[in-house]
Amino acid sequence: MFDIPEELKKLPDRPGVYLMHDKNDAIIYVGKAVSLKNRVRQYFQSSRNKTAKIEKMVSLIDHFEYIITDSELEALVLECNLIKEHRPKYNTMLTDDKSYPYIKVTLGEQFPRVLFSRQMKKDKSKYFGPYTSSESVRETIELLTKLYKIRSCNRVLPRDIGKERPCLNYHIKRCYAPCQGSISEEEYKKNIEEVLRFLNGDYSKILSLIEGKMKTAAEELDFEKATEYRELLKSVQQIAQKQKITHSDGEDKDIIAMAKQQEDAVIQVFFVRGGRMIGREHFYMKIPADDDNGRILNSFVKQFYAGTPYIPKELMLQEEVEDADLLAEWLSEKKGRKVYVRVPQKGAKEKLVELAAKNAKMVLDQDADRIKREEGRTIGAVKEIASLLGLRGIERMEAYDISNTSGYQSVGSMVVFEKGKPQRSDYRKFKLKTVIGPDDYASMREVLTRRFTHGKNELEELEEKGLTKEMGSFTRFPDLIMMDGGKGQVNIALEVLEELGLNIPVCGMVKDDHHRTRGLYFENEELPIDTRSEGFQLITRIQDEAHRFAIEYHRSLRGKGQVHSVLDDIDGIGPKRRKALMKHFVGIEQIKNATEEELAALPEMNAQAAQSVYRFFHS
């Protein structure tokens, strides 16, 4: 039994991180402290200064734990990591999880390339960004390829020079083909220097060059070429306009401001790189109604910059935040050079922050209804399902389906929904290895056994190495398994879980005679559900997605010739007889139920072949 008053006496007067747990052992809040002894005690002391959020949170605390650190900075880093991992209910949370694109110039290669990248690694490449639009990054890369004829292949040069024929880009004059030795390394790198100059914002040279070529082509009456240069000129001008000057100091900075409304907040960030505004982005946060702006901005900065690979030299904030100096120290350590966290009071910088705040309010006003609708479709729908099943804390749901169209080899699908949204990176496909013929129960048993055995094995390997971080989708077990079917499919899943020593709730998505979802089968009972509810709509989306994913995989394999009919496994049945059987009997099930006489009656069959087919299905 955890005795809170006694445990409070044991708290050390040291910096660290504390974790508050409820009676179900769920982490509901994570915080940091210069002195754990003083900070944690404050929660349990009577005070008029506590917000309604803190009062509610404290009433739910069953026990707490803490981690001592050597400094307040270490506590801040650990707090950020734990919040990101556990997403506690009473921490102000950033709801967006976005990664930003970069333009990567691979200067570590002898013949560099210009690539699209979602990560900024510590290598010899030069990165430009981050940008807020993937489309504009791809447009820029395509433009640079046209202008400077930079290679985009994966060939290792100069090792592979002359080993293969040049690709299509060479023939359409989009590449100088260094893979054929058609351009020297020195000449190629001159083009790369022009690429770098362009990406650094120096467009004057290339604009003059294209204008000159356009005029020359027009004077020579080559109007087709002149038109091509005119379109190219427009493309360069459009990119140049997108990166307009916002401040004359040429520094990298992020301008951050916010607007809030009840339990919703929008954070607006202007990204300025090299004095140019390269884009802007807004982020949604769920907040307690009584949170002040400084606390919300503090939470955003910690969560956003804990995950982004690039940190600018300066953060310009709308309001003062708690621990601004500590945040600056943390960001400086991550960046490897001094970072400033400031609240501008006057001049152009203050105007930029005001502009960001106005944009945040505009987004919030425009999207307030959409945010609530989206939450109802996702998180709200998950809560409805959890309430119907009498479960708590559902976040990750996995659904499974089997496809065995027309007797071809069965395949299985696993789709994942987190907080009501599809998590497509965690989807998995299964080509059945042990099941012959259309046996859905046996197929589902194999799929589930492989999925959860794989997950258990990966977790055991991580534990042996002393790692706790989840490395793949299989190590993350669901809070609820949703089977495409009723009692039979649910029992198969429960048997597999019992054999593997796992305790995960399983429900079946039951359909009516018209193949429409009518309810959920859970704990030996079919539970009706309101077909007009968001929960019902989510169940339908999950079921349709599992079916779609299985069918698409099956279709792709059939198209590639990677699956075959079970009839191919029968002696004496070749392509001609297989085609005749499928044409006459429509499906495998009818062939299975046919007599030897009915099989032999086909012109393409004989008594021996009919006997082989009959014995295959009945022996």
Side-chain angles (χ1 to χ4, degrees), residues 80 83 91-96 98 100 254-258 265-271 281-285 287 291 293-308 315-317 321 327 330-331:
C80 291
I83 289 174
N91 284 93
T92 300
M93 294 305 302
L94 175 64
T95 60
D96 300 83
K98 303 178 180 179
Y100 292 93
D254 287 352
I255 299 151
I256 305 170
M258 60 158 290
V266 168
I267 311 292
Q268 180 79 53
V269 184
F270 291 166
F271 300 101
E281 190 61 86
H282 58 265
F283 303 84
Y284 297 104
M285 296 188 79
I287 62 170
D291 247 9
N293 291 2
R295 193 177 295 128
I296 296 167
L297 288 169
N298 186 298
S299 296
F300 172 79
V301 169
K302 287 191 287 189
Q303 292 177 56
F304 180 69
Y305 292 100
T308 187
L315 266 59
M316 298 198 316
L317 305 183
V321 299
L327 285 175
W330 169 58
L331 293 169

Side-chain angles (χ1 to χ4, degrees), residues 102-221:
Y102 293 81
I103 295 177
K104 174 181 179 179
V105 184
T106 60
L107 296 180
E109 298 177 331
Q110 287 185 245
F111 291 89
R113 295 169 292 161
V114 181
L115 306 174
F116 180 101
S117 177
R118 286 278 182 189
Q119 297 178 334
M120 190 167 72
K121 300 178 180 178
K122 292 184 178 179
D123 53 20
K124 295 180 181 179
S125 300
K126 188 170 182 61
Y127 293 83
F128 295 86
Y131 298 89
T132 58
S133 168
S134 300
E135 183 181 357
S136 66
V137 168
R138 290 191 171 92
E139 286 175 358
T140 302
I141 292 173
E142 183 179 2
L143 176 64
L144 291 171
T145 304
K146 280 183 180 179
L147 287 172
Y148 301 109
K149 299 181 174 55
I150 304 300
R151 74 182 184 102
S152 58
C153 65
N154 293 323
R155 297 177 187 179
V156 180
L157 304 180
R159 187 195 70 187
D160 294 340
I161 289 179
K163 288 187 177 180
E164 296 180 41
R165 290 182 297 176
C167 66
L168 178 63
N169 282 344
Y170 170 72
H171 296 292
I172 62 174
K173 298 181 180 179
R174 292 277 291 270
C175 178
Y176 282 123
C179 61
Q180 303 300 306
S182 303
I183 183 172
S184 68
E185 186 177 341
E186 292 72 23
E187 285 297 315
Y188 187 89
K189 285 189 173 176
K190 285 181 182 178
N191 289 339
I192 292 295
E193 288 172 6
E194 292 299 322
V195 167
L196 296 175
R197 190 175 288 115
F198 181 96
L199 291 172
N200 278 312
D202 184 358
Y203 308 108
S204 55
K205 183 176 179 180
I206 189 61
L207 287 169
S208 299
L209 180 65
I210 296 173
E211 282 178 353
K213 288 185 176 182
M214 181 178 68
K215 289 177 181 177
T216 301
E219 289 168 358
E220 294 175 353
L221 303 181

